[in-house]
Amino acid sequence: MIERPRMHIKTFGCQMNRYDSDRMLEMMVARGYELSDDPNTADLVIVNTCSVREKPERKVQSFVSRIVSGSRHGEKGSRSKPVFVIAGCVAEQHGGEFLDMQPDVDLVIGPDHLHELPDLVERVKKGERISAVGEETVPSFLQARPSGPGVRVSEAVTIAKGCDNYCSYCIVPYVRGRERSRPAVQIVDEASGLVALGAREIVLIGQNVNSYSGEGGFPLLLERVSRIPGLSRLRFTTSHPKDFSRSLARQFKELDNLCEWLHMPFQSGSDRVLENMNRGYTRAQYLEKVAMYREYAPNGAIGADCIVGFPGETHKDFEDTMKLVEEVCFDQLFSFKYSPRPGTSALCLADDVPMDVKTGRLKELQELHTAMTRRKNLELVGTRQQVLVEGPSSRGDQMSGRTRSNKVVNFCGKESLVGSLVLVHIEEGLANSLRGRIEESAA
Ligand code: 5AD
Ligand code: SF4
């Protein structure tokens, strides 16, 4: 039997990167590759990188050095050197420099060029070292998606790429390029194809989905996707507060399968800091958008991102952030210490909050949020929740799914339930998940 070549993909960063990794995997599987957990024995190693903060970027550098030396020492002599690919935002940022910095890296490929991957890998195998970065007129996300190996219960579909907001701390507009929206018909086709193959939930993704500029705008796109026969659930992420409109909020009431879950980063609770971040809204305007959402989705869940220790952040500014977190009572909060990023406009502001103060503020904020979510999760004990079953739990001993509000629920159940909606009686509220007992199939 001929052995299939093996590939390993390591993904850092956000939902956009996870989506790109899936597309790279599909393309290479179509060329005969199979997925491997082990980077040291793979024939093709792809590292899909993130540069949004310094920490993930450092992790990328150390991961690359580790696997490059691991695979060099691992099976020396028994097989040829694997093809090393650096993809994603760090690839876009450093381009050809990566080839100089890391002699074992063969291919550096930016987010707009992913559709060229199979051909570029072939060229590398013939001895070339290649850098394929920069904006393309027909970027990868406008290319047809190959039919993949195994469709998940919940599948993401990209609706737009890049960002034009230029928040002063953020590298994304520089590495992901200008905002470009995908034609609605292509999005609906891709989502319909996934549902026909077994997906039950579609998550529309983009750096800022609310500013989708395709035909009819975002609220209409939601309506079109929600009408796909067989689609149980629809979600979207990420929302920018300044573009979250009433016509969008109304869809939470109008569209039955649109889940009551909104991810809308606020970044800071202080007007002064928000202005220096160039976010385009005030604290009061953010709170108005939250109220508007809750008007149409009264028990809707809300998640956000937030940065502490932005240049010039005083104790009072931080207190404003803490108060906002208390006021909104988020269901999910991703919080980060500010880290200066190359090329961003915040670089001209002194990074003047000492690291120990940033660390202390982050800890305080996370403790507050954890206590609040724990309380919220406890309040759900005794309720019945509709759960879309996604697969075995992370520990593998139970089944796992999510409520409409995106909370993870683990329960005892059969594997055959994967893909179905069930009603679960919640018995335990933990810090990051719920546990319950299945009552019946909901649909
Ligand atoms: N420093 C810290 N956090 C950042 N984020 C983006 N850029 C930075 C930075 N320079 C955070 C924001 C964003 C999330 C994806 O990462 O909160 O919403
Ligand atoms: Fe970055 Fe701001 Fe765009 Fe989000 S909206 S990707 S934080 S520039």
Side-chain angles (χ1 to χ4, degrees):
M1 202 177 78
I2 302 171
E3 238 186 79
R4 295 170 70 187
R6 280 168 293 178
M7 67 180 289
H8 178 83
I9 302 196
K10 172 80 179 171
T11 308
F12 293 87
C14 65
Q15 77 270 6
M16 305 300 284
N17 261 16
R18 287 196 294 277
Y19 183 85
D20 287 346
S21 286
D22 284 351
R23 302 294 75 75
M24 289 192 276
L25 174 63
E26 283 169 2
M27 281 186 278
M28 297 316 292
V29 166
R31 296 282 179 115
Y33 281 76
E34 67 181 7
L35 189 62
S36 157
D37 289 342
D38 182 5
N40 295 322
T41 57
D43 304 280
L44 169 65
V45 178
I46 301 176
V47 189
N48 196 5
T49 61
C50 169
S51 59
V52 78
R53 287 174 300 279
E54 201 183 337
K55 201 162 144 195
E57 192 178 338
R58 270 206 315 268
K59 277 197 208 157
V60 165
Q61 304 281 8
S62 75
F63 180 82
V64 171
S65 310
R66 217 170 47 242
I67 57 170
V68 161
S69 64
S71 84
R72 220 187 286 136
H73 300 128
E75 300 213 341
K76 209 169 179 176
S78 60
R79 58 198 253 284
S80 54
K81 174 193 168 302
V83 173
F84 275 111
V85 181
I86 305 294
C89 296
V90 182
E92 186 64 39
Q93 196 184 336
H94 295 297
E97 277 170 37
F98 229 112
L99 299 178
D100 304 331
M101 288 184 312
Q102 293 276 4
D104 287 287
V105 170
D106 305 291
L107 170 61
V108 178
I109 187 166
D112 266 12
H113 293 259
L114 298 184
H115 59 283
E116 298 163 28
L117 179 72
D119 294 339
L120 294 174
V121 168
E122 283 312 305
R123 280 171 52 193
V124 166
K125 289 203 308 217
K126 290 187 186 124
E128 279 185 70
R129 295 180 76 219
I130 306 167
S131 162
V133 296
E135 241 173 77
E136 281 287 278
T137 40
V138 186
S140 292
F141 82 121
L142 291 180
Q143 313 282 327
R145 176 173 177 167
S147 58
V151 165
R152 298 189 197 93
V153 172
S154 177
E155 282 282 348
V157 173
T158 299
I159 68 160
K161 253 199 161 160
C163 183
D164 291 343
N165 286 317
Y166 292 95
C167 299
S168 64
Y169 51 81
C170 186
I171 201 170
V172 166
Y174 306 96
V175 289
R176 289 264 168 182
R178 305 299 308 242
E179 185 178 292
R180 284 152 294 165
S181 293
R182 215 174 156 189
V185 48
Q186 216 184 79
I187 296 166
V188 175
D189 274 1
E190 182 170 316
S192 307
L194 290 164
V195 174
L197 289 170
R200 288 289 159 264
E201 175 177 284
I202 294 291
V203 187
L204 302 178
I205 62 168
Q207 242 81 43
N208 175 15
V209 288
N210 305 167
S211 62
Y212 174 75
S213 61
E215 186 199 337
F218 189 56
L220 186 66
L221 177 70
L222 276 178
E223 215 167 299
R224 292 179 64 179
V225 177
S226 86
R227 276 196 240 112
I228 295 172
L231 180 67
S232 306
R233 288 180 173 186
L234 174 60
R235 301 183 193 277
F236 58 85
T237 190
T238 295
S239 288
H240 193 299
K242 76 176 168 46
D243 301 308
F244 186 79
S245 63
R246 186 164 289 278
S247 54
L248 171 54
R250 209 175 280 129
Q251 299 296 37
F252 284 101
K253 196 164 173 193
E254 298 289 320
L255 309 175
D256 282 348
N257 52 6
L258 180 62
C259 292
E260 301 77 17
W261 173 76
L262 177 68
H263 185 76
M264 187 162 72
F266 64 94
Q267 309 299 6
S268 169
S270 150
D271 282 343
R272 218 174 50 81
V273 175
L274 283 172
E275 190 170 347
N276 289 337
M277 286 178 162
N278 190 31
R279 286 291 288 174
Y281 55 86
T282 60
R283 169 201 181 86
Q285 285 165 335
Y286 181 84
L287 291 172
E288 275 165 27
K289 298 292 169 107
V290 172
M292 191 156 79
Y293 164 63
R294 288 186 167 154
E295 203 181 312
Y296 296 96
N299 297 314
I302 179 158
D305 299 347
C306 142
I307 298 174
V308 299
F310 186 78
E313 185 188 72
T314 61
H315 186 67
K316 159 86 178 53
D317 295 321
F318 173 64
E319 288 288 299
D320 287 343
T321 293
M322 292 284 280
K323 277 193 230 135
L324 188 138
V325 169
E326 263 190 280
E327 201 170 329
V328 176
C329 196
F330 292 97
D331 295 84
Q332 197 181 33
L333 183 65
F334 297 103
S335 44
F336 312 101
K337 290 184 251 188
Y338 168 73
S339 76
R341 300 282 60 213
T344 58
S345 63
L347 274 187
C348 66
L349 306 169
D351 182 17
D352 56 357
V353 180
M355 188 47 91
D356 58 330
V357 175
K358 284 184 188 171
T359 306
R361 288 182 185 169
L362 189 70
K363 187 163 173 274
E364 217 181 305
L365 183 67
Q366 288 177 343
E367 279 171 2
L368 171 69
H369 169 69
T370 307
M372 292 175 84
T373 40
R374 195 182 286 269
R375 209 171 57 225
K376 269 188 143 176
N377 284 352
L378 281 175
E379 280 168 11
L380 291 173
V381 172
T383 64
R384 287 160 103 209
Q385 297 288 326
Q386 187 210 60
V387 173
L388 176 61
V389 188
E390 292 187 28
S393 61
S394 49
R395 292 217 321 247
D397 54 343
Q398 291 191 317
M399 293 309 285
S400 184
R402 274 169 304 135
T403 62
R404 283 180 67 102
S405 60
N406 219 13
K407 289 190 192 294
V408 172
V409 181
N410 295 324
F411 57 94
C412 290
K414 292 194 282 282
E415 189 112 22
S416 58
L417 290 171
V418 171
S420 53
L421 290 171
V422 296
L423 284 177
V424 176
H425 179 84
I426 304 300
E427 296 180 321
E428 234 182 306
L430 309 169
N432 296 312
S433 63
L434 303 165
R435 256 194 230 137
R437 181 171 37 82
I438 186 165
E439 292 201 335
E440 60 183 84
S441 265

